[in-house]
Amino acid sequence: LSLFLHLPGASEEVAPPVQQCFMVPKKEINVVSDMAKWKRSQAYADYMGFILTLNEGVRGKKLTCEYKVSEPIEKLVALLNTLDRWIDETPPVDQPSRFGNKAFRTWYAKLDQEAEKLVSAVIPKHLADAAPEVAVYLKESVGNSTRIDYGTGHEAAFAAFLCCLCKIGVLRVDDQMAIVFKVFNRYLEVMRKLQKTYRMEPAGSQGVWGLDDFQFLPFIWGSSQLIDHPSLEPRHFVDEKVVNENHKDFMFLECILFITEMKTGPFAEHSNQLWNISAVPSWSKVNQGLIRMYKAECLEKFPVIQHFKFGSLLPIQPVTS
């Protein structure tokens, strides 16, 4: 789990110029048999290492606790605030179909145009060459503009975006809590607003049999936050009163609140997998189970990973270490 530790600039000295040839990431997984390449790749190892490092970093911590907020973290929040403002400036249009409002394409076109500039504002001058590579992951993280849908592959692109910023030393080891609680949490708010405003379709949703139509990572990190909680057990998250009283502290409960706002009917019917999880005895068991499920249901599924892009920071080459 030492992704941050062997990165350029992970120590507190001034980061040396990164000796790296950056490249615009591209698709490498074109047929199902390519999935073996992905599972052996440096990209997979680094991505999973990043997810697990953050999982440990937020263990037992509330969203509202004290943590360090560095300048790059502030800049990332400002970037997400810009995306949020663009939603307000791009209201949904009148159209016959209920889902997939075409105004999303207008909103997305703006991001497509501005992404490199937005990323350049977050990274220091000596790393300017990295902006085109890193910006690709940002553009991939907000949904598909043709289908007007959003799913866990898009969420993975945002985690990859943050992982790249760690690999070039913009985000550091002591930013871990802020990465999840400030940046990723703000990303979730903006994605929920996109989903609601433009009525985005869930990408590759398994419906009632999936964990959630849109997200997965906040359930992993959110369950880690609840490990060893003195009173909240997994059985409590299906209790409306508990959710209302504690959602501001715990990402997992924020997710449950959003689901209950968006879906009608009994929880056990519209969110069967989560209902089953509420019967697991401890949060650490929930957390371990969700990590296994994430690998199986998202990272090892061709329809999700075929869209993932590989460059110099997240390479398709097999693991070297």
Side-chain angles (χ1 to χ4, degrees):
L1 305 184
S2 61
L3 181 76
F4 288 89
L5 308 179
H6 58 251
L7 303 178
S11 62
E12 282 306 318
E13 304 92 67
V14 177
V18 180
Q19 295 306 312
Q20 177 127 28
C21 284
F22 295 106
M23 61 180 276
V24 175
K26 58 184 201 296
K27 256 169 76 78
E28 298 278 2
I29 309 298
N30 299 306
V31 289
V32 175
S33 58
D34 288 338
M35 290 296 285
K37 272 201 300 197
W38 154 242
K39 285 186 233 175
R40 282 196 301 268
S41 71
Q42 190 65 51
Y44 183 93
D46 287 349
Y47 179 85
M48 212 50 228
F50 181 66
I51 300 302
L52 295 174
T53 299
L54 294 175
N55 189 56
E56 283 307 303
V58 300
R59 190 181 169 131
K61 305 278 202 302
K62 292 180 175 181
L63 285 168
T64 47
C65 75
E66 292 280 312
Y67 50 83
K68 171 183 172 269
V69 179
S70 64
E71 196 185 342
I73 294 285
E74 296 282 16
K75 288 176 171 175
L76 283 165
V77 172
L79 182 160
L80 291 164
N81 291 344
T82 300
L83 301 190
D84 190 329
R85 193 182 74 244
W86 290 347
I87 302 174
D88 297 334
E89 292 167 6
T90 319
V93 293
D94 276 337
Q95 61 175 47
S97 62
R98 237 177 93 210
F99 284 95
N101 194 282
K102 289 180 183 60
F104 175 71
R105 292 180 183 147
T106 310
W107 180 90
Y108 183 85
K110 186 149 187 153
L111 173 61
D112 194 37
Q113 205 187 330
E114 301 284 328
E116 258 179 65
K117 206 159 80 182
L118 290 171
V119 170
S120 297
V122 175
I123 60 182
K125 291 275 184 286
H126 73 276
L127 291 169
D129 291 354
E133 176 162 348
V134 177
V136 167
Y137 295 103
L138 178 65
K139 288 191 282 194
E140 296 277 318
S141 75
V142 297
N144 181 286
S145 65
T146 310
R147 297 188 303 272
I148 314 183
D149 66 7
Y150 176 94
T152 50
H154 302 109
E155 177 190 70
F158 192 74
F161 167 68
L162 297 172
C163 182
C164 288
L165 292 173
C166 291
K167 292 198 79 169
I168 59 174
V170 172
L171 296 174
R172 292 159 185 253
V173 70
D174 55 355
D175 287 317
Q176 283 180 59
M177 284 167 64
I179 289 171
V180 179
F181 292 170
K182 228 177 159 54
V183 180
F184 193 81
N185 204 43
R186 184 74 186 104
Y187 164 75
L188 282 177
E189 290 169 359
V190 178
M191 292 310 104
R192 286 173 184 146
K193 186 166 168 176
L194 277 180
Q195 289 153 21
K196 268 187 188 161
T197 306
Y198 304 122
R199 303 193 63 106
M200 298 177 79
E201 299 270 13
S205 168
Q206 297 162 310
V208 64
W209 304 113
L211 183 72
D212 177 77
D213 279 341
F214 298 109
Q215 314 295 156
F216 204 116
L217 292 172
F219 293 95
I220 295 179
W221 296 330
S223 59
S224 182
Q225 282 185 278
L226 285 155
I227 290 173
D228 298 331
H229 191 283
S231 57
L232 290 179
E233 293 169 33
R235 63 190 170 93
H236 290 122
F237 77 73
V238 291
D239 179 335
E240 204 180 325
K241 185 171 179 287
V242 172
V243 171
N244 288 333
E245 286 171 6
N246 296 284
H247 69 93
K248 286 190 169 62
D249 283 325
F250 300 104
M251 210 170 233
F252 195 100
L253 303 181
E254 282 282 10
C255 290
I256 301 296
L257 187 68
F258 185 67
I259 291 169
T260 53
E261 280 173 9
M262 300 299 279
K263 296 193 170 185
T264 51
F267 191 87
E269 284 174 28
H270 62 62
S271 300
N272 190 260
Q273 280 280 27
L274 281 166
W275 179 259
N276 293 338
I277 286 169
S278 72
V280 174
S282 72
W283 285 111
S284 63
K285 284 266 190 303
V286 170
N287 186 246
Q288 289 159 12
L290 285 172
I291 290 166
R292 279 197 305 274
M293 187 178 170
Y294 184 59
K295 288 178 181 170
E297 298 298 320
C298 300
L299 301 186
E300 292 173 11
K301 287 281 190 278
F302 176 72
V304 176
I305 296 304
Q306 64 172 333
H307 302 293
F308 198 90
K309 295 193 171 149
F310 300 84
S312 73
L313 296 168
L314 290 169
I316 189 68
Q317 281 71 33
V319 173
T320 44
S321 52

